[in-house]
Amino acid sequence: MTDQPVVPASVSRPTIADVARRAGVSKGLVSFALNDRPGVNAETRQRILGVAEEMGWTPSVRARSLSIDRSFALGLVIARDPGIVAADPFFPTFISGVESELSEVGQSLVLASTTSQRQEAETYRQLARDKRVDGFFLTDLRADDERISLLQQLGLRAVTLGHPDVASPFPVVSSDDGAGIRAVVAHLIVLGHTRIAHVAGPADMLHATHRRIAFEEAMTEAGLDASRVVETDFSAREGAEATRRLLAVRSSMRPTAIVYSNDPMAIAGIAVARRAGLDVPRDLSVAGFDNTDIAEHVYPSLTSVATDVARWGATAARVLLAAVAGDAIDGRVPLPTRLVIRESTAAAPEAARTPPPSPLQTPSPPASPGTTTV
Amino acid sequence: MTDQPVVPASVSRPTIADVARRAGVSKGLVSFALNDRPGVNAETRQRILGVAEEMGWTPSVRARSLSIDRSFALGLVIARDPGIVAADPFFPTFISGVESELSEVGQSLVLASTTSQRQEAETYRQLARDKRVDGFFLTDLRADDERISLLQQLGLRAVTLGHPDVASPFPVVSSDDGAGIRAVVAHLIVLGHTRIAHVAGPADMLHATHRRIAFEEAMTEAGLDASRVVETDFSAREGAEATRRLLAVRSSMRPTAIVYSNDPMAIAGIAVARRAGLDVPRDLSVAGFDNTDIAEHVYPSLTSVATDVARWGATAARVLLAAVAGDAIDGRVPLPTRLVIRESTAAAPEAARTPPPSPLQTPSPPASPGTTTV
DNA sequence: TTGTAAGCGTTATCAC
DNA sequence: GTGATAACGCTTACAA
């Protein structure tokens, strides 16, 4: 009676042992009841649940983690240059989509951000070694992406955003960027443009390459020259630089429309055109990608391809959660994109309106499936 | 010999017990040696360290967490509207600064994002209940911010970005936004502007209010009318709307310069001015805040106040880590801002160049301390 | 159906 | 100084 510590001042929250004592059963049984597993008498379970509820019991994630070797957290490693990631609304939007799902199930998101690629691999390794997460979101897929095999050998789950170009055991969630690009090109062709250029993202980023390929295919199918392509790092700076290069040819060769791989570059492109004395859209049509919030509010307002990034995040989270739980669901159909037409695209200048040289296919196909044209 | 399980196939990583066995000492001693605590014979410690190293031992964050009740992780809850957070480069930049510090010490960042304020409190509660983090970064401080007392009563550590307007036990890291605004206003006054307006952020966000107050003070001190202020939610949409309202007066009353509380709104403002037939900067000067990457690449390029957000993040991380460790260091001096002058600000239109009515103070003070004018 | 006890990998306590 | 032993809170064989 003297050694026995006074009943803990109810200051620390109840553990499974407290519930067991109060319910007059063993810890093990409480655990079974709480995780509603078979083998517990129905009314005993009810009683246990009642007591737990009444005591305000809530599981200790830490203890559970240690015991069943799961983190109840998902990881996202961002490896872009900080300046570029800041200008791109992708991640905040994606994350809010992810969060909407994770918060539902009481899991959390561990975020890491690195600059160099060497640091990147080290970051994955460290997060894996410390078992901070159960799986990763693989964004910004690269050509021959070594993260696939890295995560595989680390024994971690993952979901890739888009289809890798290497064998991958991970489920995929994708966005139909290609349809978006095709819709833009079709739109421009309808407007009479024939000299259309593309300012692409980094060649080693798969989604940038997909957009570029979609551009080239759409142009080629329409019987147009698909060679006006400049690669960039996705930054506004390089978008501007690319535009300068594209415009620095004699006017009869100059593109009358430029399709950019993201909005910041398109906006920078408009500025370059204006400085060069060109009016947008009279002399040059410009289209962006992602339909950033600001696209609607620049002058001229920007035609852009809208992607539902938040939904992409939510879907990716569901798929990854399922993968971690052992269920192999896939991201099924690619998420649709939608072309939003605004002021920055208009009819090609009269002078440039030469009829396109005998199209190989249907001249201007209707909006590609998966893309609604507005 | 039969019951004894074969030595584990070295597949699972070594625990402290493995190290102890191999070194021929007890677990406890190994723990002491590893955390270099007094009470371990020097050469015994060396031996233990050697064995640990050789076996590739690495601590289990989970086990350590359970045992000493720490998470080795810091939390950031973002409660802005997704659209607005996406347009604002603040968070990605801030996070990269935070990460640069956390990765050094093997800690990680848990990110949560919510929409409504009710969800917000619940998110803090949940993260605290699950002990997912040891402390929080409190960004976007609000008037009478209830998070201060919430975290206090939850017994968590925190660092606030900027000074709260309520009593707070938490260390502070701040940015000298006021100096930045004063520098912009001084710059405009030197250019001959007298009718200067301000497009502010939400009144309940402390940093938005600080900028607004700095604007009003700078104007008043210069003997100018400080009443041209419109409040917004920081979105480009409301920035555009605010601009329309400011310009919808007869031209003799119309502002000749507008200071925006962020860059997206300034860019939207330029678009509105152009639609209204005004030339920027000939008829209207425009300045932004934060010096977003794209500021340099719009047309006309945007004068803006640069803040070193990444450094802010790194400093906040250091301060918070110290607070969690029990050391009470503070963010000392506010981080400096820097005015970056570009094309969007120029001399006031001749017609508007009435000499300012007898300034109360020195007419155009030199750049405020803490702000370098470029 | 229920209870017991052994992990999970640390750190903390307290004899020796 | 050193080294068992008991937490930390939960899961999960294995007994009863």
Side-chain angles (χ1 to χ4, degrees):
Chain A
M1 182 110 183
T2 46
D3 290 21
Q4 190 93 330
V6 193
V7 58
S10 84
V11 54
S12 58
R13 68 171 203 229
T15 78
I16 209 173
D18 298 325
V19 175
R21 199 174 314 124
R22 183 97 150 238
V25 296
S26 71
K27 277 172 37 177
L29 201 56
V30 171
S31 174
F32 269 57
L34 257 14
N35 300 345
D36 48 44
R37 289 236 282 264
V40 182
N41 180 302
E43 55 184 277
T44 309
R45 153 170 298 144
Q46 275 314 313
R47 184 159 43 91
I48 294 176
L49 260 41
V51 171
E53 166 82 43
E54 164 193 330
M55 297 182 76
W57 176 87
T58 173
S60 156
V61 177
R62 282 174 183 167
R64 207 204 286 258
S65 278
L66 184 58
S67 134
I68 68 176
D69 195 35
R70 290 240 289 115
S71 300
F72 306 101
L74 268 22
L76 173 59
V77 177
I78 301 180
R80 292 196 201 178
D81 176 84
I84 296 173
V85 74
D88 189 335
F90 176 83
F91 284 107
T93 313
F94 181 77
I95 286 171
S96 87
V98 166
E99 265 296 315
S100 68
E101 292 293 322
L102 292 194
S103 63
E104 297 273 304
V105 295
Q107 303 226 11
S108 47
L109 176 68
V110 171
L111 188 73
S113 104
T114 74
T115 326
S116 71
Q117 307 234 144
R118 259 197 38 248
Q119 277 187 336
E120 184 193 23
E122 190 46 42
T123 301
Y124 280 105
R125 281 220 165 74
Q126 195 163 316
L127 254 19
R129 178 166 58 56
D130 293 352
K131 301 197 172 176
R132 290 310 251 276
V133 301
D134 298 321
F136 284 103
F137 294 95
L138 253 41
T139 64
D140 286 344
L141 239 44
R142 296 184 295 261
D144 202 7
D145 206 314
E146 69 287 355
R147 292 175 297 171
I148 305 277
S149 61
L150 173 62
L151 292 184
Q152 209 170 345
Q153 89 188 40
L154 289 175
L156 279 169
R157 310 296 174 169
V159 58
T160 59
L161 269 62
H163 297 270
D165 62 354
V166 294
S168 163
F170 304 125
V172 173
V173 176
S174 65
S175 167
D176 202 351
D177 288 7
I181 290 289
R182 286 192 294 276
V184 178
V185 173
H187 163 62
L188 291 169
I189 290 176
V190 167
L191 289 171
H193 293 273
T194 56
R195 299 196 301 271
I196 307 174
H198 179 52
V199 173
D204 63 345
M205 279 195 180
L206 250 36
H207 67 297
T209 298
H210 283 154
R211 292 176 197 173
R212 174 196 183 130
I213 291 176
F215 170 81
E216 291 167 345
E217 285 178 356
M219 291 293 284
T220 304
E221 280 170 19
L224 297 175
D225 176 10
S227 70
R228 289 183 181 86
V229 175
V230 181
E231 181 187 334
T232 69
D233 65 357
F234 269 142
S235 71
R237 172 179 305 280
E238 295 204 359
E241 177 56 32
T243 307
R244 272 189 286 273
R245 281 181 37 204
L246 286 169
L247 299 181
V249 295
R250 66 173 189 279
S251 73
S252 63
M253 292 296 291
R254 193 198 295 145
T256 62
I258 305 182
V259 175
Y260 292 81
S261 203
N262 73 12
D263 281 358
M265 293 198 298
I267 291 170
I270 291 176
V272 167
R274 290 188 45 85
R275 276 178 217 288
L278 299 177
D279 181 86
V280 176
R282 201 192 56 215
D283 305 315
L284 180 72
S285 282
V286 166
F289 202 102
D290 275 341
N291 192 34
T292 306
D293 257 29
I294 204 166
E296 187 180 346
H297 300 287
V298 291
Y299 182 81
S301 61
L302 188 65
T303 291
S304 189
V305 174
T307 53
D308 195 344
V309 177
R311 192 168 143 213
W312 205 6
T315 306
R318 275 197 304 276
V319 169
L320 183 49
L321 284 173
V324 166
D327 308 346
I329 73 173
D330 211 80
R332 44 200 95 238
V333 294
L335 294 175
T337 55
R338 184 171 55 91
L339 176 62
V340 180
I341 298 172
R342 299 206 180 84
E343 301 165 345
S344 66
T345 47
E350 279 303 326
R353 281 185 161 236
T354 55
S358 59
L360 303 177
Q361 313 254 340
T362 42
S364 54
S368 319
T371 293
T372 313
T373 303
V374 168
Chain B
M1 183 112 186
T2 45
D3 289 20
Q4 191 93 330
V6 194
V7 57
S10 82
V11 54
S12 58
R13 69 172 201 228
T15 78
I16 210 170
D18 298 326
V19 176
R21 199 175 314 125
R22 184 97 148 240
V25 294
S26 73
K27 279 173 33 177
L29 198 57
V30 172
S31 175
F32 267 54
L34 257 15
N35 301 347
D36 47 46
R37 289 236 281 266
V40 182
N41 179 302
E43 56 185 277
T44 309
R45 153 168 298 144
Q46 276 314 312
R47 182 159 46 92
I48 294 176
L49 261 41
V51 172
E53 166 81 44
E54 164 193 329
M55 296 181 77
W57 176 86
T58 174
S60 157
V61 177
R62 281 173 181 167
R64 209 205 284 258
S65 277
L66 184 58
S67 164
I68 68 176
D69 195 34
R70 291 241 289 116
S71 301
F72 307 101
L74 267 21
L76 173 58
V77 177
I78 300 179
R80 292 197 203 178
D81 176 85
I84 296 173
V85 73
D88 189 335
F90 176 83
F91 283 108
T93 314
F94 181 77
I95 286 170
S96 86
V98 166
E99 265 296 315
S100 68
E101 291 294 323
L102 291 193
S103 63
E104 297 274 304
V105 295
Q107 302 227 13
S108 46
L109 176 69
V110 171
L111 189 73
S113 104
T114 74
T115 325
S116 71
Q117 307 233 144
R118 259 196 39 247
Q119 277 187 336
E120 184 194 24
E122 191 46 44
T123 302
Y124 280 105
R125 281 221 165 72
Q126 195 163 315
L127 253 20
R129 178 165 59 55
D130 293 352
K131 300 195 173 178
R132 290 307 252 276
V133 301
D134 297 321
F136 284 102
F137 295 94
L138 253 41
T139 64
D140 286 344
L141 239 44
R142 295 184 295 261
D144 203 9
D145 205 314
E146 69 287 354
R147 292 175 296 171
I148 305 277
S149 61
L150 173 63
L151 291 184
Q152 209 171 346
Q153 88 186 41
L154 289 175
L156 279 169
R157 311 295 174 171
V159 58
T160 59
L161 269 63
H163 298 270
D165 61 355
V166 293
S168 163
F170 304 125
V172 172
V173 176
S174 65
S175 167
D176 202 352
D177 288 7
I181 291 289
R182 286 192 294 276
V184 177
V185 173
H187 163 61
L188 292 169
I189 289 176
V190 166
L191 289 171
H193 294 273
T194 56
R195 300 196 301 271
I196 307 174
H198 179 51
V199 173
D204 64 345
M205 280 196 179
L206 250 36
H207 67 297
T209 297
H210 284 154
R211 292 176 197 173
R212 175 197 183 132
I213 290 177
F215 170 80
E216 291 169 343
E217 285 178 354
M219 291 293 283
T220 304
E221 280 171 19
L224 297 174
D225 176 10
S227 70
R228 289 183 180 87
V229 176
V230 181
E231 182 187 334
T232 69
D233 65 357
F234 269 142
S235 70
R237 173 179 304 281
E238 296 204 358
E241 178 56 32
T243 308
R244 272 189 286 273
R245 280 180 36 203
L246 287 169
L247 298 182
V249 294
R250 66 171 188 279
S251 71
S252 63
M253 293 296 290
R254 193 198 293 145
T256 61
I258 305 182
V259 175
Y260 293 80
S261 203
N262 73 12
D263 281 357
M265 294 198 297
I267 292 170
I270 290 176
V272 168
R274 291 186 45 84
R275 275 177 218 288
L278 299 178
D279 181 85
V280 176
R282 200 192 56 215
D283 306 315
L284 180 72
S285 282
V286 166
F289 201 102
D290 276 342
N291 192 33
T292 306
D293 257 30
I294 204 166
E296 187 180 345
H297 299 287
V298 291
Y299 181 81
S301 61
L302 188 65
T303 291
S304 188
V305 175
T307 53
D308 195 343
V309 177
R311 193 169 140 214
W312 205 6
T315 306
R318 275 198 304 276
V319 170
L320 184 48
L321 285 172
V324 167
D327 308 345
I329 72 172
D330 211 81
R332 46 200 94 239
V333 295
L335 295 176
T337 56
R338 185 171 53 92
L339 176 62
V340 180
I341 298 172
R342 299 206 181 85
E343 300 165 345
S344 66
T345 47
E350 279 303 326
R353 282 188 160 232
T354 55
S358 59
L360 302 178
Q361 313 254 340
T362 42
S364 55
S368 318
T371 295
T372 313
T373 303
V374 168

